[in-house]
Amino acid sequence: MAGGRDPGAINEMAHSSAAALLDRVRHSEDPMVVERVLTVVEREGVDDIAELWSSSPADSLPGVLWRLYMLRTWMRAHRDAIARLWRVGEPVATSASAIAGVDQAPTEDDIARLADSILSGAFTGDFAVAMERAAAFTDVVALGLRIEAKHLAGQATMLAGDTARSGKEDSANNRNDRNDHAKSRAGQAARLMHTAANLFVTAKDFHHAATLWRRGKLE
């Protein structure tokens, strides 16, 4: 689309295309249609769908579909790390595991299958249930990130304390190494906390979308 296109026209196209895509899949019995919808980002790239949907608000159909596609892409690209984060955030199965449809100790293949299952469920099943699955999953992964961030922050504090308590017998190189490690861990912790905060917001967006869908107000 041209850069100077009317924002109102883009917004209208975003809403109409999202509704048309959802309606097409729901009224099709061809599994290839579902497959093409699932893999549109891999086949066509993210740019076209981003230009059309990414600026749509989270409480709209194109906005929440954009977030759902990005969640699937992220889950498949980082399936190993996400499987580990799930185990950190959900060490014992709770209602979140049941809602998301995740085993207590998922493998990376389980994460990839779940990514497809959540997105396909939005198109072929109960849309609100798919949103709730996405929300539950995102919440747990965000919690896993927060736990890991706190662990790294604790390590950073410990290393900084060791440096402060070190005596003259400790070499300058050792002190500098500990300072560098402390700063590195603190930086990692900050990045993880930032990502966790974004995921918690996304989880709330999915929860809200489920509510709007059930009220017939997600457009």
Side-chain angles (χ1 to χ4, degrees):
M1 289 183 288
R5 196 157 200 171
D6 176 21
I10 294 175
N11 180 62
E12 183 178 348
M13 190 179 299
H15 284 262
S16 62
S17 62
L21 185 64
L22 188 63
D23 183 70
R24 180 188 176 194
V25 179
R26 286 181 175 272
H27 288 87
S28 174
E29 296 182 0
D30 184 355
M32 292 303 298
V33 171
V34 178
E35 179 66 19
R36 286 196 295 272
V37 168
L38 277 179
T39 60
V40 64
V41 171
E42 289 94 327
R43 289 184 296 102
E44 306 295 338
V46 73
D47 291 344
D48 287 343
I49 191 172
E51 191 172 6
L52 196 58
W53 289 354
S54 64
S55 62
S56 299
D59 59 353
S60 69
L61 184 59
V64 79
L65 283 178
W66 164 252
R67 286 156 178 77
L68 205 58
Y69 269 106
M70 291 304 96
L71 177 64
R72 176 185 180 271
T73 300
W74 180 65
M75 287 170 69
R76 293 184 66 87
H78 304 283
R79 62 188 73 179
D80 185 51
I82 292 173
R84 177 178 50 77
L85 287 169
W86 178 275
R87 294 191 291 270
V88 172
E90 183 90 342
V92 178
T94 68
S95 60
S97 294
I99 294 170
V102 182
D103 291 334
Q104 184 175 340
T107 66
E108 58 183 278
D109 289 337
D110 292 330
I111 296 300
R113 283 191 292 269
L114 178 68
D116 290 348
S117 175
I118 291 174
L119 181 57
S120 64
F123 285 97
T124 63
D126 186 322
F127 191 90
V129 169
M131 294 300 101
E132 289 171 344
R133 292 182 68 196
F137 177 82
T138 308
D139 260 333
V140 170
V141 174
L143 178 58
L145 281 167
R146 181 176 286 180
I147 291 170
E148 290 209 337
K150 289 181 177 179
H151 179 66
L152 286 168
Q155 289 181 340
T157 300
M158 183 178 66
L159 286 166
D162 288 346
T163 301
R165 289 188 296 270
S166 64
K168 291 182 179 180
E169 67 280 359
D170 195 15
S171 70
N173 283 339
N174 284 342
R175 289 195 297 273
N176 288 337
D177 284 346
R178 280 198 296 271
N179 276 329
D180 289 343
H181 286 311
K183 290 177 181 178
S184 175
R185 282 168 172 74
Q188 291 173 29
R191 289 190 292 273
L192 291 183
M193 287 296 283
H194 179 72
T195 302
N198 287 338
L199 285 176
F200 279 126
V201 170
T202 301
K204 289 181 181 179
D205 290 340
F206 287 138
H207 275 301
H208 187 48
T211 299
L212 290 176
W213 179 266
R214 289 194 170 106
R215 293 175 179 173
K217 295 183 177 180
L218 186 67
E219 300 176 347

